[in-house]
Amino acid sequence: MAADRTDDAPGDAWTGWISVGRLASGLILFAYVTTHLLNHALGLWSIEAMQTAFAGFLQLWAPLPGTVLLYGAVTVHVTIALRAVILRDRFRDMWPPEIAQLVLGLAIPLLLIDHVIATRGAYEMYAAGSDYISTLHTMWVLAPELAFKQAVALIVAWTHGCIGLHFWLQFKGWYQRAHGPALAIAVIVPTLALSGFVASGMEIRQRAEQPGWADREAARMKRPDASENTEMFGLIDDARIGYLLLVLGAFVANGLRGSYHHRRRSLTLRYGTGEVVRATKGQTILEISRLQDIPHASVCGGRGRCSTCRVRIGAGLDRLQPPSEAEAKVLQRIGAPPNVRLACQTPVIDGLEVTPLLPPHSDTGAARGGPSYLHGRELDIAVLFADIRGFTTISEQRLPYDVVFILNRYFAEMGAAIEGSGGRLDKFIGDGIMALFGVDGDRSSGSRQALAAAKAMSERLIELNQSLAGDLDTPLRIGIGLHVGPCIVGEMGYGTVRGLTAVGDTVNTASRLEGLTKDEQVQLIVSEALVSASGLAPETGRGTEIEVRGRSQPMAIRCIDDARSLRL
Ligand code: FES
């Protein structure tokens, strides 16, 4: 039972150990279930094949080390799951896979207690033997309802394990690429196991109809006698009741904990939106967001793995405990600056101010973090602005439908030219386009890419004009401005409208150069800085100088009539 995705108490020295314990015990149990299911699958071949493999299965799990490992894992996993139930803030915040994992996990002991006591328990208490033949005989002949329950237990245990594995692996890059095969394995293994279980059950029913088979089977292996059976069933009932009381106790403790926290709210937490809420000492920022219905991304459910809950700390940063080793590792992985913390791992202090950095519905893609410039960095990049000349006039003479059609065709062609040259489309503004080059590279490669994009745009424009000849009175003409220099690059925006963009003087200048193409009657204007960074022949185009607001010196530019003439 890989516990539900509940916050571990932050700053708790046990947190790391609990995560390790949950994962290790879950993997041991998953290995046990997998080997057991594969053993079942051999029923498609023959019962004897199941028996032979079962001997190997017992070699693995029956000796003392295997027993300690298996039952230790059960104890650790169930204990951590019940602890998680107690610490869960609100069950109604859980999303369907979390609910499924919790419900299925809690159901597993109930479904398997009798099987475990009737096999391993009977062996330990009464030296009663059990193997595939005896167990199949019990389940398919003596008490057929047990066969159905066992099939349900098989599906429940496997599904629970698969969900747990998925939660664990979902942030690993290789797993993202291995979704297909992983899903296939998740379906094939239980299908084969169930098929083997049913096939062997049918086989055992046929054998049981043969005269004398049941007597021979009874003589072959010692089974619990009537009084032992009575005692064993009593034990099964006690174990079920004991387990149910434990689960019930965990939910009651959860309710008591919630009302305790509610009464003791004495700290204030301020959000970047200006909202101020009350909090209790020891609660995390994410817990408070959930309790106060403040949308907050938390793809991993608060386990400190995904980083989607990250917040920028305003006031109070200097009073916060430093990040734990595990939190620091995640923050380092995403290149977070010192004022960014994981909300699920950071306990609230009085007067803390936080701003969640990702939209509430961020997915695992956001969880993978990304380059450090997403948080804001100064980068030397090339910036492109492009605009359709006289588009206002064109749009005034056409139906809205035609305008949208023409613009979308234009954006598709220009977008392909920019991306095909290695650039990043930043935004479309009206009929204008802004693009960035060299964000992942350097000044000179970005400059070369920008020039290549301008040339490709010009070439594609010719083709576009040919294909739109019937829709346009005059061909579309564009102006392009290119400049390179330092920009502040980062992920900016609000809510779902966020994206990588750049701001700064370089951006303004590139936009200004694009505007100048109209005055200079050319298609492309490139700053001299970009020409020299790209290695373009200095005699390209016509050189001139312009005044730029905020600069004491004039700026050297090159005016190029047709970007297709660029020799790159
Ligand atoms: S919710 Fe995933 S790291 Fe905090």
Side-chain angles (χ1 to χ4, degrees):
M1 184 191 327
D4 65 323
R5 308 192 319 155
T6 305
D7 300 343
D8 293 320
D12 184 339
W14 285 97
T15 303
W17 287 110
I18 288 168
S19 298
V20 171
R22 175 168 42 204
L23 179 61
S25 57
L27 288 175
I28 292 167
L29 295 175
F30 195 72
Y32 177 84
V33 171
T34 306
T35 49
H36 208 17
L37 295 200
L38 293 176
N39 203 157
H40 282 9
L42 289 176
L44 284 169
W45 185 262
S46 71
I47 292 178
E48 281 62 39
M50 288 171 109
Q51 287 276 72
T52 307
F54 187 59
F57 178 80
L58 289 180
Q59 290 284 325
L60 199 61
W61 299 105
L64 190 62
T67 301
V68 170
L69 207 60
L70 179 60
Y71 290 95
V74 171
T75 309
V76 168
H77 214 63
V78 171
T79 306
I80 291 175
L82 294 177
R83 175 186 182 274
V85 167
I86 295 169
L87 295 180
R88 179 88 211 179
D89 310 323
R90 280 200 314 194
F91 292 98
R92 71 180 147 107
D93 290 333
M94 295 170 78
W95 48 302
E98 285 182 281
I99 296 170
Q101 197 197 22
L102 177 64
V103 173
L104 297 178
L106 293 176
I108 293 170
L110 280 180
L111 289 165
L112 289 178
I113 279 172
D114 56 348
H115 182 58
V116 174
I117 293 179
T119 52
R120 186 70 187 258
Y123 172 76
E124 299 293 345
M125 292 186 294
Y126 315 121
S130 74
D131 58 10
Y132 259 96
I133 293 179
S134 63
T135 307
L136 287 171
H137 183 219
T138 303
M139 289 184 174
W140 287 94
V141 179
L142 303 179
E145 71 280 1
L146 289 182
F148 175 73
K149 189 174 72 61
Q150 201 61 17
V152 171
L154 180 157
I155 294 168
V156 165
W158 179 257
T159 308
H160 172 79
C162 286
I163 295 174
L165 265 189
H166 172 74
F167 283 159
W168 174 46
L169 297 174
Q170 63 182 324
F171 308 114
K172 316 237 181 247
W174 64 265
Y175 178 70
Q176 311 280 332
R177 297 185 294 277
H179 258 156
L183 188 61
I185 291 170
V187 173
I188 288 170
V189 170
T191 305
L192 289 176
L194 275 177
S195 307
F197 181 55
V198 172
S200 56
M202 296 302 105
E203 166 78 22
I204 215 79
R205 285 173 77 101
Q206 283 179 1
R207 291 187 191 184
E209 284 171 6
Q210 293 167 10
W213 187 88
D215 293 338
R216 287 198 299 280
E217 176 56 21
R220 184 178 70 86
M221 189 172 278
K222 178 187 179 323
R223 310 287 282 271
D225 60 25
S227 71
E228 289 170 340
N229 264 334
T230 307
E231 187 182 41
M232 200 169 65
F233 289 137
L235 194 60
I236 289 171
D237 286 344
D238 290 347
R240 279 196 181 127
I241 291 169
Y243 175 70
L244 280 174
L245 285 176
L246 273 179
V247 174
L248 191 67
F251 280 100
V252 170
N254 175 279
L256 293 174
R257 177 179 172 271
S259 56
Y260 170 78
H261 278 310
H262 190 75
R263 284 201 310 277
R264 293 201 51 209
R265 287 181 191 169
S266 57
L267 312 178
T268 57
L269 171 66
R270 177 185 293 275
Y271 286 80
T273 52
E275 201 163 351
V276 180
V277 298
R278 308 290 296 171
T280 309
K281 189 163 183 269
Q283 289 182 306
T284 63
I285 299 164
L286 184 64
E287 281 177 320
I288 303 304
S289 295
R290 286 171 170 172
L291 287 170
Q292 300 290 338
D293 281 329
I294 293 170
H296 203 140
S298 57
V299 170
C300 74
R303 288 178 175 174
R305 292 194 200 137
C306 67
S307 84
T308 54
C309 65
R310 56 189 182 257
V311 290
R312 184 187 304 279
I313 307 288
L317 180 64
D318 51 334
R319 290 182 288 122
L320 279 179
Q321 292 280 328
S324 68
E325 201 183 319
E327 183 188 352
K329 233 188 235 174
V330 175
L331 292 170
Q332 190 185 13
R333 189 186 77 212
I334 59 167
N339 61 343
V340 169
R341 295 289 297 268
L342 299 184
C344 66
Q345 303 299 308
T346 308
V348 173
I349 55 168
D350 194 30
L352 191 66
E353 187 183 298
V354 299
T355 305
L357 290 174
L358 293 184
H361 302 296
S362 298
D363 57 13
T364 50
R368 286 198 293 281
S372 57
Y373 55 69
L374 291 182
H375 305 288
R377 257 180 67 184
E378 190 175 87
L379 295 177
D380 226 358
I381 58 169
V383 181
L384 174 151
F385 271 86
D387 197 42
I388 302 179
R389 292 280 152 262
F391 192 74
T392 311
T393 316
I394 296 173
S395 60
E396 278 170 2
Q397 297 163 352
R398 287 189 154 63
L399 292 170
Y401 172 87
D402 294 333
V403 174
V404 170
F405 169 75
I406 292 168
L407 268 185
N408 280 335
R409 287 287 316 272
Y410 168 72
F411 287 145
E413 292 298 328
M414 300 303 113
I418 288 164
E419 291 187 341
S421 308
R424 284 172 179 259
L425 279 164
D426 183 294
K427 55 177 75 76
F428 296 111
I429 319 148
D431 58 305
I433 298 172
M434 174 178 164
L436 312 178
F437 298 83
V439 171
D440 295 307
D442 56 27
R443 180 183 171 91
S444 54
S445 66
S447 299
R448 285 193 296 275
Q449 288 173 349
L451 287 168
K455 183 172 181 174
M457 288 167 77
S458 181
E459 287 165 352
R460 282 180 176 257
L461 186 70
I462 298 288
E463 291 165 18
L464 180 66
N465 278 329
Q466 282 166 359
S467 104
L468 290 179
D471 299 288
L472 295 168
D473 302 329
T474 53
L476 293 177
R477 289 179 302 116
I478 58 172
I480 305 171
L482 298 181
H483 184 41
V484 68
C487 296
I488 307 294
V489 178
E491 202 175 56
M492 302 177 211
Y494 175 73
T496 54
V497 189
R498 292 176 71 92
L500 183 80
T501 190
V503 293
D505 186 51
T506 301
V507 177
N508 301 337
T509 304
S511 172
R512 167 97 201 281
L513 297 185
E514 179 268 308
L516 265 182
T517 56
K518 197 170 165 189
D519 303 334
E520 298 290 337
Q521 299 281 312
V522 292
Q523 188 177 54
L524 172 65
I525 294 186
V526 185
S527 68
E528 200 67 57
L530 191 138
V531 170
S532 76
S534 67
L536 189 69
E539 65 278 8
T540 304
R542 167 172 55 85
T544 183
E545 289 188 337
I546 57 166
E547 298 296 327
V548 177
R549 202 173 347 148
R551 285 179 186 238
S552 52
Q553 299 290 320
M555 180 182 178
I557 58 170
R558 315 255 1 141
C559 301
I560 298 149
D561 291 330
D562 188 333
R564 287 177 298 161
S565 66
L566 288 172
R567 293 178 185 278
L568 302 175

